[in-house]
Amino acid sequence: MVRRSLLFTPGDRPEMMQKAPDSGADVVVFDLEDAVSPERKEEARETVRRVLADPGFDPATEVCVRLNATSSEYQADLEALFGHESERPRLDSVMLPKADSRVAVSELAGTLERYDVSVPVFALIESARGVLAAPDIAAAAATDALVFGAEDLAADIGANRTQEGTEVLYARQRVVLAAAAHDCDAIDTLVTDFEDDRRLAEETEFAIQLGYDGKLAIHPAQIETINDGFAPDDDEIEWANAVLEGKRKADAEGRGVFEVDGEMIDPPLIERARRIRERSRVAREVEDDSRP
């Protein structure tokens, strides 16, 4: 499943939720947590349920709901969403904020089962406990993606956020390593200044270098930059094709290593070439699907 870009949309804004799939995001996340003030939680739950249960709402994108963090709060979220037997809202995944253990993910999955719902869980890693437990969280059966939340993590550990991001770099790397070790998607943190397109492009490029599969967005204007960032450029594609063609010829000749433009190619570079080709394929398919 393609998850290059995940767009948060407030759960108490029905007009924004209806339009969110038109942004080009691979995943739209209807937010019942941080984007909704405490006094509007009940209203937001009902609003999200109405949008998801509307027969006319059938986007091609993945639809996720960010639940509230505590078990009592997300039980209220799920009751509002799935407690109406006459209506089954369209929902593809849920996001668990402040995930800090495998048990937390398993408990959420168990609560979903009470409503006869089985959907992937995006575990949002945004605390010191969550970062240290990231490998265990990724190993939970219901976990399908780890999502790195740098802003809340910095607040949790008392770090000062900088554009360089060195204060959260270890955590950022640990999350992507944990996801890779357990075959989960890894989704990178957001850029809060949605008008700074240059920084977003740089952050997206760095996330790809680290091994992330996608990135969070808080505004539709960020989606194109993120999606474009995950599409390899012509030089990368040319290099990857040359490497994979060289691999085909080397295999036919019984050679283990080979050379491309003066560079000795070994298994890690072959795997990199395959990842570039896969990113290119995904970008083409999404572009084709979006054409009328």
Side-chain angles (χ1 to χ4, degrees):
M1 185 172 293
V2 182
R3 290 168 175 161
R4 301 166 301 172
S5 50
L6 287 78
L7 175 64
F8 282 116
T9 305
D12 57 352
R13 299 291 299 275
E15 72 287 354
M16 292 178 66
M17 287 189 284
Q18 291 281 1
K19 293 178 181 178
D22 298 332
S23 67
D26 294 325
V27 184
V28 292
V29 184
F30 296 163
D31 192 0
L32 291 174
E33 195 213 16
D34 285 351
V36 179
S37 62
E39 62 272 14
R40 291 177 64 89
K41 295 288 186 182
E42 288 298 330
E43 177 186 345
R45 289 171 178 134
E46 177 59 22
T47 300
V48 170
R49 185 194 66 79
R50 286 201 309 269
V51 171
L52 294 179
D54 182 354
F57 183 74
D58 188 24
T61 56
E62 180 176 0
V63 180
C64 177
V65 170
R66 175 159 73 164
L67 305 170
N68 285 284
T70 67
S71 60
S72 60
E73 287 181 313
Y74 72 59
Q75 285 177 23
D77 297 338
L78 297 177
E79 176 62 26
L81 292 173
F82 300 110
H84 302 261
E85 293 186 3
S86 59
E87 294 178 330
R88 296 301 289 179
R90 182 268 173 83
L91 184 60
D92 301 311
S93 52
V94 294
M95 184 178 292
L96 176 63
K98 300 176 178 60
D100 61 6
S101 69
R102 183 198 298 221
V103 171
V105 175
S106 298
E107 287 179 348
L108 171 57
T111 305
L112 285 164
E113 287 178 2
R114 296 178 204 164
Y115 295 96
D116 196 26
V117 174
S118 177
V119 294
V121 174
F122 293 10
L124 182 50
I125 310 298
E126 51 185 344
S127 68
R129 285 174 58 88
V131 170
L132 294 178
D136 203 37
I137 294 169
T143 302
D144 204 46
L146 295 187
V147 184
F148 178 50
E151 305 305 320
D152 279 32
L153 173 65
D156 186 49
I157 64 178
N160 293 323
R161 284 291 278 133
T162 64
Q163 286 204 359
E164 294 77 15
T166 52
E167 68 282 354
V168 296
L169 182 56
Y170 165 74
R172 199 175 183 184
Q173 292 172 311
R174 183 176 173 86
V175 168
V176 75
L177 286 169
H182 294 281
D183 198 26
C184 295
D185 284 342
I187 310 301
D188 189 40
T189 192
L190 51 81
V191 172
T192 56
D193 185 353
F194 60 82
E195 295 183 340
D196 192 343
D197 195 60
R198 179 177 178 179
R199 184 184 172 203
L200 178 61
E202 292 172 348
E203 285 284 303
T204 301
E205 181 180 359
F206 186 57
I208 294 167
Q209 291 175 0
L210 291 178
Y212 276 91
D213 301 291
K215 192 165 181 63
L216 298 175
I218 56 170
H219 193 280
Q222 296 180 310
I223 299 303
E224 183 176 1
T225 298
I226 293 173
N227 287 349
D228 286 348
F230 277 92
D233 60 31
D234 291 343
D235 288 343
E236 289 180 291
I237 295 170
E238 183 179 354
W239 175 85
N241 287 339
V243 167
L244 295 176
E245 176 60 17
K247 172 71 163 59
R248 185 189 66 78
K249 291 180 178 178
D251 287 347
E253 297 169 2
R255 293 184 288 117
V257 294
F258 56 96
E259 180 183 323
V260 172
D261 295 333
E263 180 182 25
M264 293 304 298
I265 304 298
D266 57 6
L269 290 178
I270 294 169
E271 181 57 30
R272 179 186 169 200
R274 286 174 175 151
R275 288 174 65 89
I276 289 172
R277 179 175 280 184
E278 176 63 13
R279 284 168 48 208
S280 176
R281 182 192 64 78
V282 166
R284 288 197 310 271
E285 287 185 356
V286 172
E287 183 178 348
D288 291 343
D289 289 345
S290 66
R291 290 172 181 166

